[in-house]
Amino acid sequence: MPDLFSPIQLGAIAAPNRILMAPLTRGRADRDAVPTPIMADYYAQRAGAGLIISEATGISRQGLGWPFAPGLWTDAQVAAWRPVTEALHAAGGRIVAQLWHMGRQVHSSVTGEQPVSASATISPGHVHTYEGRQPYEQARALDLDELPGILDSYARATENALAAGFDGVQIHAANGYLIDQFLRDGSNHRTDRYGGSVENRIRLLDEVTQRVVAIAGADRTGVRLSPNGESQGVDDSAPEAVFVPAARRLSELGIAFLELREPGPDGTFGRSDAPKLSPAIRKVFDGPLVVNSDFFTRDAAQAALDSGVADAVSFGRAFLANPDLPVRLRSGAPLNEGNVKTWYSQGPEGYIDYPALAEQEAA
C-alpha cells in the first residue's frame, strides 16, 4: 500500500509524493487579471508538493468575476505567468493551470456583462466584487450558438497555459461554476441537447474535455468535480446518477487524474450531509483519483490512501500558511496558523511571509 510520500505518475507528470496542493484563490493578480511578481515567490515556496494545481484561472473576461484573480486569455497574462512557472520549476516543482468559467457566480460590475449559465437562474446570497459584497444577479441561459465560443475559450486558455510553461491543465467542473451548472438538474433546466437527460447534462463537460485533450494531451489534462451535495446553490436530485457516468466518460477519455472535492458534515469550509461518491466513482474511473476537502493531518490523508479509494490527496488551506507542508507532515511538526483576513487581500502579508520549518528551527 503506498504512503503519502510515495511517488505517483499523474499522466505525463511524475509527482515525487502524493501530497498535492489544491487550487486556492488568493487574489494577487491585477485588475486586468495579469499575474504579479509576488506570485512567483508564492508558488516557488510550495514546490515540495507532489503537484500544484494553480488557483482558479479565468478562460475569458465573461467567465472571470473574482476580483484580482488571474486569467489566461491575453498575451499579457501569458507573459506574466511565465516567470511564475519558471520560478516553480527552478525550485523543483510541477504545476497545472486550473481553467475556470464561473458562469452565474459573477457580477456585471466585474465582467461588464450579465452572467451566463445553463439556464436563467440566480445564485443565493452575495458575490465578492471590487465594490464589496453585492447580491448575485439573474443569469441568462447560454444560447446553443454561443457554446462553440465557450469551447474555443477553453481551447485558447489551454494553448496559453502551455505557452506560459504550465505542465498541464485542470478543468474546473466543480463548486457550482459553469460546467457544474450544466451537470446538475437544480441549475440546468434546458430542453435542448444540453439539458434533461444525464447524457445531455454531461455533454458540455465531455466536449470541453475533448477540446482540452486535443491540445494538451490526455496525459496532461485533469478534471475537478464536486459530486456530493449542494455547492453555491447548485445541487442535483440524484447526484450518483450524474457523477458516476461523468467519471466513467472521463476515464474513457484517459485523463491524467480526477480530483473530487467532497466535504463532510463537519467540514470547516463547506459542509454536506450527502454521502461521498468517491467509492462509487473509484469503480468506474481507471486513472489516479485524488480526494480533497478538510485534510489537515498525515493520518487522515493516509487513511484515504489505505481505503483503496484515493491515490493521492490534495490539501488546500493547510498549504496557505505552510509552504513546506510535505516536510511538516513527514516530521510531525506543528502547522502554522493561517490568517483568514489575508486570504484574498493584495500584497505579501499572509501570502509569502509564512515561515518554513527550517526557518523556525533556526530562529
Side-chain angles (χ1 to χ4, degrees), residues 52-330:
I52 293 175
I53 305 169
S54 83
E55 61 203 279
T57 301
I59 63 170
S60 64
R61 180 74 279 173
Q62 177 196 71
L64 182 61
W66 190 274
F68 298 110
L72 269 170
W73 71 86
T74 71
D75 291 343
Q77 292 161 357
V78 174
W81 269 118
R82 287 194 190 108
V84 178
T85 61
E86 288 169 358
L88 184 279
H89 289 144
R94 298 136 299 277
I95 187 169
V96 297
Q98 189 188 63
L99 306 182
W100 198 23
H101 192 302
M102 298 174 67
R104 72 183 195 180
Q105 311 290 355
V106 306
H107 194 274
S108 61
S109 68
V110 179
T111 63
E113 62 179 278
Q114 183 182 5
V116 298
S117 186
S119 301
T121 58
I122 187 168
S123 293
H126 292 75
V127 59
H128 184 46
T129 76
Y130 289 114
E131 288 74 41
R133 304 280 289 176
Q134 298 193 55
Y136 279 102
E137 298 172 309
Q138 176 80 42
R140 66 173 181 83
L142 282 162
D143 292 334
L144 277 176
D145 61 7
E146 292 180 282
L147 292 176
I150 298 291
L151 300 180
D152 290 343
S153 292
Y154 276 101
R156 182 177 63 250
T158 302
E159 292 170 347
N160 287 344
L162 299 179
F166 285 95
D167 299 298
V169 298
Q170 185 195 59
I171 299 164
H172 195 345
N175 298 15
Y177 296 117
L178 182 68
I179 296 176
D180 204 19
Q181 292 161 28
F182 272 80
L183 286 171
R184 307 210 225 185
D185 61 14
S187 50
N188 185 341
H189 308 150
R190 302 176 75 98
T191 57
D192 57 23
R193 66 179 183 271
Y194 289 90
S197 69
V198 168
E199 179 183 9
N200 284 352
R201 284 183 279 134
I202 290 173
R203 192 180 306 279
L204 183 63
L205 170 64
D206 189 0
E207 292 178 345
V208 168
T209 306
Q210 289 190 60
R211 286 293 296 274
V212 170
V213 162
I215 296 166
D219 59 354
R220 294 189 182 275
T221 301
V223 173
R224 177 180 243 223
L225 298 174
S226 51
N228 74 314
E230 177 269 339
S231 184
Q232 300 195 88
V234 175
D235 207 349
D236 193 84
S237 61
E240 186 168 354
V242 178
F243 287 101
V244 170
R248 182 184 293 113
R249 178 56 183 150
L250 294 172
S251 186
E252 293 169 353
L253 292 173
I255 63 170
F257 66 96
L258 175 60
E259 183 195 18
L260 304 178
R261 180 181 183 272
E262 294 188 300
D266 300 319
T268 56
F269 195 64
R271 297 177 175 84
S272 177
D273 292 319
K276 295 183 178 183
L277 294 182
S278 45
I281 287 173
R282 172 78 286 172
K283 295 176 182 177
V284 301
F285 185 76
D286 296 330
L289 192 63
V290 181
V291 295
N292 166 261
S293 198
D294 291 306
F295 285 99
F296 292 97
T297 68
R298 175 176 177 171
D299 288 348
Q302 185 61 50
L305 300 187
D306 293 344
S307 72
V309 171
D311 299 296
V313 175
S314 63
F315 289 77
R317 281 157 291 150
F319 261 115
L320 294 177
N322 298 277
D324 58 344
L325 180 64
V327 172
R328 291 175 183 269
L329 293 178
R330 184 186 282 275

